[in-house]
Amino acid sequence: AFIHHQSQIVTSEDEGIEVGVGYETNIGLERTFIKKYSSKNSYCVDNLNSTDSHESKFFKRTVQLNDIYNQKFCFQLRCQQEILETCNCFDPINERSAPRDGEPVCLADTMTQYTCPNLIKEAFYSNDYFINYESDCPKECESVLYHQYVSTIEYPSFYYAQFLATNKRIIQFFDNNERASPLSASDSRQYDGFENRRLSHQDLRKSLLAVNVYYNSDSYQQITEKLQKSFENLISDFGGQTGLFLGEFS
């Protein structure tokens, strides 16, 4: 399961949340909205839908592929370029970031092509890639962070399984998947309390899962960067302090 803002792009390389059969996974979310102040020392992109917002070819390519800019995806394009230049092939794991100019795929049946992309990605993301490649992939001025709180519990419970065993759609699913062998005596005891003797608690646990995604609170955190003092105001304050200092000792 991937948790992300609707404006963000999700790829197979993004970190997700594993959900398992036989378990109910609860994902509580808290949001943080971040709005950065763009300056020469801390540049960020405000218009994420225009290829003219930044001169980098990786920025433009990101917008062309997704109709909106995302720094994380841009870094994946930049890493793909490193793989292409070093390994003479592209990594097929993230197909959306793959070039479209007929370059060969790094094949898993060739040891060099199998290990080369992994080594390049490890080196790319282990270094200060945010600093090294931020000129190619600038930050977004506005972004949303999701803090995730995950818990799991066995699903369904014994008593809820009895209720599910009467659901027509679930019964139909199991009717279409007949047992290959008759039940043993120990298996039969699993059906005690179940009106439908074909469905046991373990049968349902092996086939069902549940995922609940919700906000822990209606409130959210907002972080906004603002210009505390302009250069003109700084010079003015410096001049005022200098005049006061000279006047004191004159």
Side-chain angles (χ1 to χ4, degrees):
F2 295 98
I3 305 298
H4 62 95
H5 191 260
Q6 60 184 3
S7 64
Q8 293 178 331
I9 306 102
V10 177
T11 69
S12 58
E13 292 189 343
D14 293 329
E15 294 183 4
I17 300 173
E18 294 185 357
V19 294
V21 175
Y23 290 92
E24 179 178 3
T25 304
N26 297 296
I27 306 173
L29 302 177
E30 293 181 359
R31 294 170 293 175
T32 300
F33 293 85
I34 301 175
K35 186 172 183 179
K36 297 182 176 294
Y37 178 79
S38 182
S39 65
K40 293 182 179 179
N41 296 326
S42 179
Y43 178 73
C44 65
V45 178
D46 193 22
N47 187 353
L48 304 179
N49 301 101
S50 174
T51 56
D52 298 328
S53 298
H54 196 269
E55 60 185 8
S56 166
K57 67 177 183 179
F58 300 100
F59 176 91
K60 296 179 183 296
R61 180 65 173 164
T62 300
V63 177
Q64 290 171 353
L65 287 174
N66 305 294
D67 296 326
I68 191 171
Y69 175 73
N70 177 267
Q71 187 187 42
K72 191 173 184 179
F73 186 86
C74 183
F75 278 133
Q76 293 176 359
L77 287 178
R78 188 66 181 84
C79 182
Q80 190 75 265
Q81 182 66 27
E82 292 286 317
I83 294 174
L84 185 62
E85 293 175 355
T86 306
C87 307
N88 297 318
C89 57
F90 71 87
D91 184 12
I93 292 180
N94 186 355
E95 184 179 355
R96 287 181 60 81
S97 67
R100 293 288 183 260
D101 299 325
E103 288 83 352
V105 180
C106 296
L107 301 176
D109 55 356
T110 305
M111 183 56 65
T112 302
Q113 292 189 355
Y114 176 75
T115 58
C116 184
N118 294 329
L119 293 174
I120 297 300
K121 285 193 289 186
E122 182 179 353
F124 182 90
Y125 288 109
S126 62
N127 296 328
D128 296 328
Y129 66 96
F130 276 101
I131 300 176
N132 296 334
Y133 302 110
E134 192 173 17
S135 59
D136 292 326
C137 299
K139 293 177 291 189
E140 305 98 328
C141 288
E142 296 188 26
S143 58
V144 183
L145 296 180
Y146 289 94
H147 307 281
Q148 305 167 1
Y149 302 89
V150 182
S151 62
T152 58
I153 190 173
E154 291 186 358
Y155 176 87
S157 66
F158 180 79
Y159 293 103
Y160 189 51
Q162 294 182 33
F163 170 76
L164 292 176
T166 62
N167 184 285
K168 293 182 179 180
R169 295 183 62 182
I170 293 179
I171 293 173
Q172 184 179 6
F173 170 80
F174 281 92
D175 285 343
N176 293 333
N177 295 272
E178 295 291 340
R179 295 184 180 276
S181 58
L183 295 173
S184 64
S186 60
D187 289 333
S188 299
R189 288 194 294 270
Q190 299 177 13
Y191 295 79
D192 292 342
F194 283 76
E195 180 179 343
N196 185 345
R197 301 289 293 180
R198 291 198 65 259
L199 297 181
S200 73
H201 185 202
Q202 291 302 316
D203 289 333
L204 294 170
R205 282 212 61 203
K206 292 177 182 178
S207 303
L208 300 178
L209 61 86
V211 179
N212 301 312
V213 182
Y214 53 89
Y215 290 117
N216 286 332
S217 172
D218 293 334
S219 62
Y220 58 86
Q221 183 180 23
Q222 183 167 342
I223 301 175
T224 303
E225 291 183 351
K226 294 183 178 179
L227 183 64
Q228 186 71 21
K229 185 172 293 187
S230 67
F231 180 74
E232 292 79 6
N233 291 336
L234 180 63
I235 295 299
S236 177
D237 290 348
F238 179 76
Q241 293 293 333
T242 303
L244 180 63
F245 177 81
L246 294 175
E248 182 72 22
F249 291 93
S250 61

